[in-house]
Amino acid sequence: MTSSTQLRAAIVGSTGYGGVELIRLLQSHPYVTVTSVISSSTAGTPIAEGFPHLNEICTDLLDGIDVELIRSKADVVFLATPNGISMKLAPDFLAAGLKVIDLSGDFRLKNGDTYQEWYKHEPAPSEWVERAVYGLAEVYGEQVVGSDFISNPGCFTTTSLLALYPAVKAGWIDPDSIIIDAKSGVSGAGRGASFGTHYSEINENFKAYKINKHQHIPEIEQVLSEAAGRSVITTFTTHLVPMTRGIMATSYATMTEKRKASEFVELYRQFYEGRSFVRIYDDGKWPATKFVYGSNYCDIGFSVDERTGRITIISVTDNLVKGAAGQAIQNLNLSMGWDETLGLQFTPVYP
Amino acid sequence: MTSSTQLRAAIVGSTGYGGVELIRLLQSHPYVTVTSVISSSTAGTPIAEGFPHLNEICTDLLDGIDVELIRSKADVVFLATPNGISMKLAPDFLAAGLKVIDLSGDFRLKNGDTYQEWYKHEPAPSEWVERAVYGLAEVYGEQVVGSDFISNPGCFTTTSLLALYPAVKAGWIDPDSIIIDAKSGVSGAGRGASFGTHYSEINENFKAYKINKHQHIPEIEQVLSEAAGRSVITTFTTHLVPMTRGIMATSYATMTEKRKASEFVELYRQFYEGRSFVRIYDDGKWPATKFVYGSNYCDIGFSVDERTGRITIISVTDNLVKGAAGQAIQNLNLSMGWDETLGLQFTPVYP
Amino acid sequence: MTSSTQLRAAIVGSTGYGGVELIRLLQSHPYVTVTSVISSSTAGTPIAEGFPHLNEICTDLLDGIDVELIRSKADVVFLATPNGISMKLAPDFLAAGLKVIDLSGDFRLKNGDTYQEWYKHEPAPSEWVERAVYGLAEVYGEQVVGSDFISNPGCFTTTSLLALYPAVKAGWIDPDSIIIDAKSGVSGAGRGASFGTHYSEINENFKAYKINKHQHIPEIEQVLSEAAGRSVITTFTTHLVPMTRGIMATSYATMTEKRKASEFVELYRQFYEGRSFVRIYDDGKWPATKFVYGSNYCDIGFSVDERTGRITIISVTDNLVKGAAGQAIQNLNLSMGWDETLGLQFTPVYP
Amino acid sequence: MTSSTQLRAAIVGSTGYGGVELIRLLQSHPYVTVTSVISSSTAGTPIAEGFPHLNEICTDLLDGIDVELIRSKADVVFLATPNGISMKLAPDFLAAGLKVIDLSGDFRLKNGDTYQEWYKHEPAPSEWVERAVYGLAEVYGEQVVGSDFISNPGCFTTTSLLALYPAVKAGWIDPDSIIIDAKSGVSGAGRGASFGTHYSEINENFKAYKINKHQHIPEIEQVLSEAAGRSVITTFTTHLVPMTRGIMATSYATMTEKRKASEFVELYRQFYEGRSFVRIYDDGKWPATKFVYGSNYCDIGFSVDERTGRITIISVTDNLVKGAAGQAIQNLNLSMGWDETLGLQFTPVYP
């Protein structure tokens, strides 16, 4: 594919952490060129002004949100916008014939009432929600192929579900027993300045937040219910770790019968066979968040406790890559019928 | 009490983090004077040489481990020594008529076989183990009064048990359902240099370790079994947080009947009534590790999920204070019949 | 002194980092009781609501700024208020007969034009500026004795001046050659949420700011000029370190004649003889910020380079203690004729 | 270039931070394939065992140091080995006809006596030292073209020299006035476990080390002397920042005549014209280390103080990339006559 046939990409919300990560990752994509970086708040200024790491790399001025303009410049639009905003933008872009990949939560929950209950505002119109394909790439990748409207999963959701889906689907764990204890770096909270993201409040501190209230809970339950073939509810807790990037989900469940960790290793390796971004660890080894830093990997390890009959599953991602921008690009690749690894084949940054 | 009647304290293992924290805290104790700081590896050098923060504060030379010498200089000995070492030292000090407060795991487990299984070496002689009082101050404080041999609880254990004991004792949660997801700062790993404590490996990283294998598991189970009146086993996971001080235990359990978080608040406030170092949060609020930084507090908060019938309990301590040196001093106070807060009445360091 | 004769203290700006640190430190002061914590923005709420580390320690409601009220409740007022605010409050409190200790920059610079140039707004009326004693405790402590209006020095200023004053006064270094390269933890930027204090922007980052523009420059020059007996200008740079507390000043100067570092050690030890909070390191040793963490110490070390004829002086403080709240209490002690160490005799928190 | 004509690379010292970074970066190089990863201590084991981030990316077993073996497998050898080791290995590899790029200090100093004075052991034989080309790519890149033996500069050296060379060469600053205050993340200390790299000692701490003693001092002076056309000595201080990656050099010098910062901007942009990895900031803007994180950039900004006649120059690099592995690859590219950016065109990781 030559430069003249490059796919042209626009990024709405380019000045958030998800948007600026899309810019970073797409620089390495062989078939995609970023042709418009968009920000409603700072349109008209060079993006490198607020993001000096992009000096001499991305010299574009920020565009405003103008559907006509974007249609003239782009073939695909990434919406790295807050919940409640994407639902207003996506229909227009879709109507204009653009492919849309939404990174917000607006089109993830199929049930509007559930959306309203957890997000505390009106859901998107149901016809658009139904049209969106839920892009958990390793699980629903086949549905993504050929799609022009993809709802990209949440960061906690992706990390939790890749760790739990195969075991629930296989009936090896009791879905009602699942407890997910999740921990995230601070970049997941976005780039907005607030007391809750103040360095002096986060550093040398570890805290829990939104206990039993996080909006990723219904998203996790929606997929686990599909896997289980019946309605599933879970316990899910989020914690804030004094680091910038990375998510770990420590998931606990009761096994439906006695099994060894090595059996789970085998099950998961079969489930994810042929997929490039899930790495299953040998029995007795568990991933740390640094092992996936800056990359699109999700690493998973297991520990079975014979005494209690429970399994503990450790899964990690980089919340801004596999948990956001990276999986969005993976979904773009899948939707275009390309190799899912295009533009995403880089080694984690270590140390 | 005048200076001439001060209790004289010796600290074995003064160059570990637990030992040096004892020095810091005892500087403020009105009735105790540190008369001997002891280190087998660097005896004869000034302690301030390796610990410049003690310049002009503690000008003592480090002593070697010499029972006669220590008997001549001290009334009480704190053993801030590794597992396996305390069991060799404590009997001699006790035989020499000294009060002994041991911060290691050597005398915590009443069952020698259990010790051997989890610590992977020979247990202490059972007569000494039986003689030791287990100093979880808010639970077994009455047994500590008058004792001359106190086994100080582990850091994870203290943090977990203060969060779970009242509910198990009251029969409000199912002991078999308990899952404890614990997170610790790095100082808990001790001062020894190793690849596992290398800054570049810890920073911007979050990892799980010793899953289902941590030696604090049987210690937790020993106490929970006492509370439940029957044998209890639990699931317990430890994680390493990129910070120096602080432990959080996120504990999950199924409630035996429907209750509100506010009922647990009330139960716990009654249970800890009159005790100075446990602070119970109002419903809807949870502690962060920074709220107890450098102090002897254990802060506890609750979240009840009506959907799942589970309660989530958040508890935090400073692992070097309430989880080690602070509780040891609290136990000394109790054993002497003093106010338990002596030398420990300081405000957490914030931010 | 019994409780009935305690000095009553009010703290204006109690919800900033300087104010809340005053509360922490004054809890340990034997002769002072905090009787009013004041915040214009959150008056009427319990201070512990925003600062849970103070639960059960400080149960006061926040007062508004009401001179009559404060006069009825307090003998001394600490102004931990932003530049430009103190100048409006101090005269009224002084007129009401209260002792005032101001932690802002408003009364530090004797020359109003200089204030305006560096602070970019109107200076305080000169009669009040003249009345304020500049409380660099180890240098101007004698002037503080008996004073009822003390202007507490800046954090960078204190750290830099304690390192340079004796050598300039002795004529051992060329004042015109002084270059100060300063580094601060983030708490120095205050508690206000801004993009510049966002965790994800600070963590794993090191940056310079306000190069040649920092408002502590004229304050440093004012004192160095006094020491030199002539006008001195300096080069001063500030950097932000990804940590919460601590300042280091690395000061460079050309020696006026060849000397060894040990001679500087001797000079400084003589200069600071009898003072409790300056610790001079032996030749070949230098302080790190952690050695003074949470304490009122300023630690200083030297390196002489025979090749270049320059001396490098390393000085460190905790910016919130010796650089703010601690020195303010030290000044209160001095002004009252008390031992300067009252309420400040605690060991640095390590690690 | 097809896979069959790829340049084959061996990396000695693959289990150090410099070596493992070479592996990361070379994965993206279009013309180079890593064919041997070498470690004397863990030969025979898979490299991914100690570095799980390389799982499924680099599945090689570690080789031992065997010149014959390496000659059979590789065309170029990177020596990411400690000082004193490279000098023993390089001659054999060169004699065997391999291209050698050495990342240690062994071949940087042309004067053997100077090496011995600063490195405290015997220098490499002078004939080998003379043969090595000093690979400060933007300054001596023309000498690197066609070379088969390149001595890669130090991390502090690179960061300092790129900031100072153009101004010294142009005669715009007085070389005798130069003071370099440098700050580094901890990965620069290597991967060896020691008390000095213990997380709890580094975190929330800032310290100076090797003041006036760092072995990069003579390396900096060697190049500045070449630029000045006469012997130059400098003052240089290193500090340890609680972060993993990144170096900042804050350089101070007296200008030889009055100039504006914008003139320096222009001078430097001309000097580095056509080079891809030096980015010069506009007047009034300065780089932070995060702006180059994980990339091969060196960013530089200026501040002129008219009052003192001094210029302050801020320069930053990622110590493991431009300060080590990245510049080594850049030198390989130059030596092969390739575009210097091959395999190095990636955006800094932010945040």
Side-chain angles (χ1 to χ4, degrees):
Chain A
M1 185 176 270
T2 67
S3 160
S4 63
T5 61
Q6 290 284 93
L7 193 75
R8 301 168 305 157
I11 302 169
V12 185
S14 281
T15 58
Y17 286 143
V20 80
E21 185 73 351
L22 279 165
I23 296 173
R24 177 175 83 91
L25 297 176
L26 287 172
Q27 292 294 327
S28 304
H29 200 293
Y31 299 165
V32 180
T33 300
V34 176
T35 52
S36 175
V37 287
I38 298 153
S39 167
S40 56
S41 57
T42 49
T45 65
I47 185 162
E49 195 167 289
F51 299 89
H53 72 287
L54 293 177
N55 273 336
E56 304 183 14
I57 294 171
C58 182
T59 54
D60 295 355
L61 300 191
L62 286 157
D63 289 327
I65 300 179
D66 174 339
V67 175
E68 282 311 299
L69 175 73
I70 295 169
R71 182 162 66 167
S72 73
K73 295 175 76 170
D75 306 306
V76 58
V77 175
F78 291 93
L79 298 179
T81 35
N83 302 322
I85 303 297
S86 288
M87 69 174 72
K88 291 177 186 143
L89 300 176
D92 285 351
F93 286 121
L94 287 163
L98 289 157
K99 184 189 284 278
V100 171
I101 300 176
D102 178 34
L103 283 76
S104 86
D106 278 1
F107 299 96
R108 292 179 193 153
L109 299 183
K110 293 306 177 190
N111 185 313
D113 292 344
T114 305
Y115 182 93
Q116 182 132 16
E117 180 188 345
W118 292 86
Y119 284 82
K120 310 294 180 200
H121 57 77
E122 285 287 313
S126 60
E127 65 269 27
W128 294 107
V129 173
E130 280 158 27
R131 184 166 159 187
V133 172
Y134 183 71
L136 185 64
E138 282 77 12
V139 174
Y140 301 121
E142 289 180 19
Q143 298 171 32
V144 172
V145 178
S147 167
D148 66 350
F149 184 22
I150 300 155
S151 174
N152 210 52
C155 51
F156 284 119
T157 323
T158 297
T159 315
S160 302
L161 288 175
L162 293 178
L164 291 165
Y165 192 93
V168 171
K169 190 80 178 181
W172 287 20
I173 59 176
D174 173 7
D176 293 328
S177 71
I178 292 172
I179 292 174
I180 305 166
D181 190 282
K183 302 91 175 171
S184 175
V186 182
S187 62
R191 198 169 178 243
S194 76
F195 182 66
T197 57
H198 191 297
Y199 183 87
S200 301
E201 302 293 321
I202 299 287
N203 183 43
E204 274 294 282
N205 197 4
F206 186 87
K207 68 174 170 185
Y209 67 101
K210 285 195 188 179
I211 304 180
N212 292 319
K213 300 283 183 208
H214 199 285
Q215 70 277 10
H216 288 177
I217 293 175
E219 190 183 339
I220 291 169
E221 293 176 348
Q222 176 174 282
V223 176
L224 291 183
S225 296
E226 179 273 313
R230 65 174 176 81
S231 179
V232 168
I233 57 173
T234 59
T235 293
F236 175 79
T237 308
T238 42
H239 302 80
L240 201 57
V241 185
M243 62 184 189
T244 301
R245 286 172 180 249
I247 280 182
M248 177 180 286
T250 307
S251 300
Y252 302 91
T254 300
M255 296 183 291
T256 49
E257 56 183 273
K258 273 199 180 183
R259 294 187 196 270
K260 294 181 181 170
S262 58
E263 296 176 76
F264 282 85
V265 170
E266 189 56 30
L267 175 72
Y268 277 61
R269 285 190 176 152
Q270 283 175 13
F271 188 91
Y272 293 117
E273 197 171 7
R275 307 313 295 253
S276 300
F277 294 122
V278 177
R279 300 188 296 192
I280 306 301
Y281 281 49
D282 289 337
D283 183 15
K285 296 188 177 174
W286 310 291
T289 61
K290 190 177 268 298
F291 299 159
V292 299
Y293 203 90
S295 84
N296 200 48
Y297 289 104
C298 175
D299 285 9
I300 303 173
F302 307 91
S303 173
V304 162
D305 186 5
E306 293 181 11
R307 302 186 324 138
T308 59
R310 293 195 189 103
I311 187 165
T312 305
I313 310 181
I314 307 288
S315 56
V316 299
T317 62
D318 182 320
N319 56 303
L320 293 178
V321 189
K322 184 61 178 170
Q327 185 159 240
I329 294 169
Q330 186 181 1
N331 278 320
L332 173 64
N333 290 338
L334 289 170
S335 77
M336 297 294 292
W338 298 337
D339 184 316
E340 69 177 342
T341 67
L342 285 182
L344 298 169
Q345 287 164 306
F346 35 79
T347 301
V349 178
Y350 169 93
Chain B
M1 185 175 269
T2 67
S3 161
S4 64
T5 60
Q6 291 283 95
L7 193 76
R8 300 168 304 157
I11 300 168
V12 186
S14 282
T15 57
Y17 286 143
V20 80
E21 184 74 351
L22 279 165
I23 296 173
R24 176 174 84 92
L25 297 176
L26 288 172
Q27 293 293 328
S28 305
H29 200 292
Y31 298 165
V32 180
T33 301
V34 176
T35 52
S36 176
V37 287
I38 297 153
S39 167
S40 55
S41 57
T42 49
T45 65
I47 186 163
E49 195 167 289
F51 298 89
H53 73 287
L54 294 176
N55 273 337
E56 302 182 17
I57 294 171
C58 182
T59 54
D60 296 353
L61 299 191
L62 286 156
D63 289 328
I65 299 177
D66 175 338
V67 175
E68 281 312 299
L69 175 73
I70 296 168
R71 182 163 65 168
S72 73
K73 296 175 77 169
D75 306 305
V76 58
V77 176
F78 291 93
L79 298 179
T81 35
N83 302 323
I85 303 296
S86 288
M87 69 174 72
K88 292 178 184 141
L89 299 176
D92 285 352
F93 286 121
L94 286 163
L98 289 157
K99 184 189 285 278
V100 171
I101 300 176
D102 178 34
L103 282 77
S104 86
D106 279 1
F107 300 96
R108 292 178 193 155
L109 299 183
K110 293 307 176 190
N111 184 313
D113 292 344
T114 305
Y115 182 92
Q116 181 133 16
E117 180 188 345
W118 292 86
Y119 284 81
K120 310 294 180 201
H121 57 78
E122 285 286 314
S126 59
E127 65 269 26
W128 293 107
V129 173
E130 280 158 27
R131 183 167 160 187
V133 172
Y134 183 72
L136 185 64
E138 283 78 10
V139 174
Y140 302 120
E142 289 180 19
Q143 298 171 33
V144 172
V145 178
S147 167
D148 66 350
F149 184 23
I150 300 154
S151 174
N152 210 54
C155 51
F156 284 120
T157 323
T158 298
T159 315
S160 302
L161 288 174
L162 293 177
L164 290 165
Y165 192 93
V168 171
K169 191 80 178 180
W172 287 20
I173 57 175
D174 173 7
D176 294 328
S177 72
I178 293 172
I179 291 174
I180 305 166
D181 191 284
K183 301 90 175 171
S184 175
V186 182
S187 62
R191 199 171 177 240
S194 75
F195 181 67
T197 56
H198 191 298
Y199 183 87
S200 300
E201 303 292 322
I202 299 288
N203 182 44
E204 274 293 284
N205 197 3
F206 186 86
K207 68 176 171 185
Y209 68 100
K210 286 195 187 178
I211 304 180
N212 292 318
K213 300 283 183 209
H214 199 285
Q215 70 276 10
H216 288 177
I217 292 175
E219 190 182 338
I220 291 169
E221 292 177 348
Q222 177 175 281
V223 176
L224 290 184
S225 296
E226 180 274 312
R230 65 173 176 82
S231 179
V232 169
I233 56 174
T234 59
T235 293
F236 174 78
T237 307
T238 41
H239 303 79
L240 201 57
V241 186
M243 62 184 189
T244 300
R245 286 171 180 250
I247 281 183
M248 177 180 286
T250 308
S251 300
Y252 302 91
T254 301
M255 295 183 292
T256 50
E257 56 182 274
K258 273 196 180 185
R259 292 186 196 273
K260 294 182 182 169
S262 58
E263 295 177 75
F264 282 84
V265 170
E266 190 55 32
L267 175 72
Y268 277 61
R269 285 192 175 151
Q270 283 176 13
F271 188 91
Y272 293 116
E273 195 171 7
R275 308 312 296 253
S276 302
F277 294 123
V278 177
R279 300 188 294 194
I280 306 300
Y281 281 49
D282 289 336
D283 183 15
K285 297 187 178 174
W286 310 291
T289 61
K290 190 176 270 297
F291 298 161
V292 299
Y293 204 89
S295 84
N296 201 48
Y297 289 104
C298 175
D299 285 10
I300 303 173
F302 307 90
S303 173
V304 162
D305 186 5
E306 293 181 10
R307 302 187 322 138
T308 61
R310 294 195 187 102
I311 187 166
T312 304
I313 311 180
I314 306 289
S315 56
V316 300
T317 63
D318 183 319
N319 57 301
L320 293 177
V321 190
K322 184 61 178 170
Q327 186 161 240
I329 294 169
Q330 187 182 1
N331 277 319
L332 173 66
N333 290 339
L334 289 170
S335 78
M336 297 295 291
W338 298 337
D339 184 317
E340 68 176 344
T341 67
L342 285 182
L344 298 169
Q345 288 163 306
F346 34 79
T347 300
V349 178
Y350 168 94
Chain C
M1 185 176 269
T2 68
S3 160
S4 64
T5 60
Q6 291 283 95
L7 194 76
R8 299 169 305 157
I11 301 169
V12 185
S14 281
T15 57
Y17 286 142
V20 80
E21 184 73 350
L22 279 165
I23 296 173
R24 177 175 83 92
L25 297 176
L26 287 172
Q27 292 293 328
S28 305
H29 199 294
Y31 298 165
V32 179
T33 301
V34 176
T35 51
S36 176
V37 288
I38 297 152
S39 167
S40 55
S41 57
T42 49
T45 66
I47 184 162
E49 195 167 289
F51 300 88
H53 74 287
L54 294 176
N55 273 337
E56 303 182 15
I57 294 171
C58 182
T59 55
D60 295 354
L61 299 191
L62 286 157
D63 289 328
I65 300 178
D66 174 338
V67 175
E68 281 311 299
L69 174 73
I70 295 168
R71 183 164 64 168
S72 72
K73 295 175 77 170
D75 307 305
V76 57
V77 176
F78 291 93
L79 299 179
T81 34
N83 302 322
I85 302 296
S86 288
M87 69 174 70
K88 292 178 184 142
L89 299 176
D92 284 351
F93 286 120
L94 286 163
L98 290 157
K99 182 188 286 277
V100 172
I101 300 177
D102 177 34
L103 282 77
S104 86
D106 278 2
F107 300 96
R108 293 179 192 153
L109 299 183
K110 294 306 177 190
N111 184 314
D113 293 344
T114 305
Y115 182 93
Q116 181 132 18
E117 180 187 345
W118 292 86
Y119 284 80
K120 309 294 181 201
H121 57 77
E122 285 288 313
S126 60
E127 65 270 27
W128 294 107
V129 174
E130 279 158 26
R131 184 167 159 188
V133 173
Y134 183 72
L136 185 65
E138 283 78 10
V139 174
Y140 302 120
E142 289 180 19
Q143 298 172 33
V144 172
V145 178
S147 166
D148 66 350
F149 185 22
I150 300 154
S151 174
N152 211 53
C155 51
F156 284 120
T157 323
T158 297
T159 315
S160 303
L161 288 174
L162 292 178
L164 290 165
Y165 192 93
V168 171
K169 191 79 178 181
W172 287 20
I173 58 175
D174 173 7
D176 294 329
S177 71
I178 293 173
I179 291 173
I180 304 167
D181 190 282
K183 300 91 175 173
S184 175
V186 182
S187 62
R191 199 170 177 243
S194 75
F195 181 67
T197 57
H198 191 298
Y199 183 87
S200 301
E201 303 293 322
I202 299 288
N203 181 45
E204 274 293 283
N205 197 4
F206 186 87
K207 68 176 172 183
Y209 65 102
K210 284 194 187 179
I211 305 180
N212 292 318
K213 300 283 183 210
H214 199 284
Q215 71 276 10
H216 288 177
I217 292 174
E219 190 182 339
I220 291 169
E221 292 176 349
Q222 178 175 282
V223 176
L224 290 184
S225 296
E226 179 275 310
R230 64 173 176 80
S231 179
V232 168
I233 57 173
T234 59
T235 294
F236 175 79
T237 308
T238 42
H239 303 79
L240 201 58
V241 185
M243 63 183 188
T244 300
R245 284 171 181 251
I247 281 182
M248 178 180 286
T250 307
S251 300
Y252 302 91
T254 300
M255 296 184 291
T256 49
E257 57 182 272
K258 272 196 181 185
R259 293 188 196 270
K260 295 179 181 172
S262 58
E263 296 177 76
F264 281 85
V265 171
E266 189 56 31
L267 174 73
Y268 277 61
R269 285 190 176 153
Q270 283 176 13
F271 187 91
Y272 292 117
E273 197 170 7
R275 307 313 294 255
S276 300
F277 293 122
V278 177
R279 302 189 292 194
I280 305 300
Y281 281 50
D282 289 336
D283 183 15
K285 297 186 177 174
W286 310 292
T289 61
K290 191 177 268 297
F291 299 160
V292 300
Y293 204 90
S295 84
N296 201 46
Y297 290 103
C298 177
D299 285 9
I300 303 172
F302 307 91
S303 173
V304 162
D305 186 6
E306 293 181 9
R307 301 186 325 136
T308 60
R310 293 194 188 104
I311 187 167
T312 304
I313 310 181
I314 306 288
S315 56
V316 298
T317 63
D318 183 318
N319 56 302
L320 292 178
V321 190
K322 184 61 177 169
Q327 186 160 238
I329 293 169
Q330 188 182 1
N331 277 320
L332 172 65
N333 290 339
L334 289 169
S335 78
M336 297 294 291
W338 298 337
D339 184 315
E340 68 177 344
T341 69
L342 285 182
L344 298 170
Q345 286 163 309
F346 35 78
T347 301
V349 178
Y350 168 93
Chain D
M1 184 177 269
T2 68
S3 160
S4 64
T5 60
Q6 290 284 95
L7 193 76
R8 299 168 307 158
I11 301 169
V12 185
S14 281
T15 58
Y17 285 143
V20 80
E21 184 74 351
L22 279 164
I23 296 173
R24 176 174 83 93
L25 298 176
L26 288 172
Q27 292 293 328
S28 305
H29 200 293
Y31 299 165
V32 180
T33 301
V34 175
T35 52
S36 176
V37 287
I38 296 153
S39 167
S40 55
S41 57
T42 49
T45 65
I47 186 163
E49 195 168 289
F51 299 89
H53 73 288
L54 294 177
N55 273 336
E56 304 184 13
I57 294 171
C58 181
T59 55
D60 295 353
L61 299 190
L62 287 156
D63 290 327
I65 300 178
D66 175 338
V67 175
E68 282 311 300
L69 175 73
I70 296 168
R71 182 163 65 166
S72 73
K73 295 174 76 169
D75 306 306
V76 58
V77 176
F78 290 93
L79 298 179
T81 36
N83 301 323
I85 302 297
S86 288
M87 69 173 69
K88 290 177 186 142
L89 299 176
D92 285 352
F93 285 121
L94 288 163
L98 289 157
K99 182 187 287 275
V100 171
I101 300 176
D102 178 34
L103 282 76
S104 86
D106 279 1
F107 300 96
R108 293 178 192 153
L109 300 183
K110 294 305 177 190
N111 184 313
D113 292 345
T114 305
Y115 183 92
Q116 182 131 19
E117 180 187 344
W118 292 86
Y119 284 81
K120 308 296 180 199
H121 56 78
E122 285 287 314
S126 60
E127 65 270 27
W128 294 106
V129 174
E130 281 159 25
R131 185 167 157 188
V133 173
Y134 183 73
L136 185 64
E138 282 79 10
V139 175
Y140 301 120
E142 290 180 18
Q143 297 171 33
V144 172
V145 178
S147 168
D148 67 350
F149 184 23
I150 300 155
S151 174
N152 210 52
C155 51
F156 284 120
T157 324
T158 297
T159 315
S160 302
L161 288 174
L162 293 178
L164 291 165
Y165 193 93
V168 171
K169 192 79 178 181
W172 286 20
I173 58 176
D174 173 7
D176 294 328
S177 72
I178 293 172
I179 291 174
I180 305 166
D181 190 282
K183 302 90 174 172
S184 175
V186 182
S187 62
R191 199 171 177 242
S194 75
F195 181 67
T197 56
H198 191 299
Y199 182 87
S200 301
E201 303 292 322
I202 299 288
N203 182 44
E204 274 293 285
N205 197 4
F206 187 87
K207 67 175 171 185
Y209 67 101
K210 285 195 187 180
I211 305 179
N212 292 319
K213 300 284 183 208
H214 199 285
Q215 69 276 9
H216 288 176
I217 293 175
E219 190 182 338
I220 291 168
E221 293 176 348
Q222 178 176 282
V223 176
L224 291 183
S225 296
E226 179 275 311
R230 64 172 176 81
S231 179
V232 169
I233 57 174
T234 60
T235 293
F236 175 79
T237 307
T238 42
H239 302 79
L240 201 58
V241 185
M243 63 183 188
T244 301
R245 286 171 180 250
I247 282 181
M248 178 181 284
T250 308
S251 300
Y252 302 91
T254 300
M255 296 183 291
T256 49
E257 56 183 272
K258 271 196 182 185
R259 293 187 196 271
K260 293 180 182 171
S262 58
E263 295 177 76
F264 281 84
V265 170
E266 189 56 30
L267 174 72
Y268 278 60
R269 285 188 175 153
Q270 284 176 12
F271 188 91
Y272 292 116
E273 196 171 7
R275 307 313 294 254
S276 301
F277 293 122
V278 177
R279 300 188 294 193
I280 305 301
Y281 281 49
D282 288 337
D283 183 13
K285 296 187 178 174
W286 310 292
T289 61
K290 191 177 270 295
F291 299 160
V292 300
Y293 204 89
S295 83
N296 200 48
Y297 289 103
C298 176
D299 285 10
I300 303 173
F302 307 91
S303 174
V304 162
D305 186 5
E306 292 181 10
R307 302 187 322 138
T308 59
R310 293 194 188 104
I311 186 167
T312 304
I313 311 180
I314 307 288
S315 56
V316 299
T317 63
D318 182 319
N319 57 302
L320 293 178
V321 190
K322 184 62 179 171
Q327 185 160 239
I329 294 169
Q330 187 182 1
N331 277 319
L332 173 65
N333 290 339
L334 289 170
S335 77
M336 297 294 291
W338 298 337
D339 184 314
E340 69 177 342
T341 67
L342 285 182
L344 298 169
Q345 287 163 307
F346 35 79
T347 301
V349 178
Y350 168 93

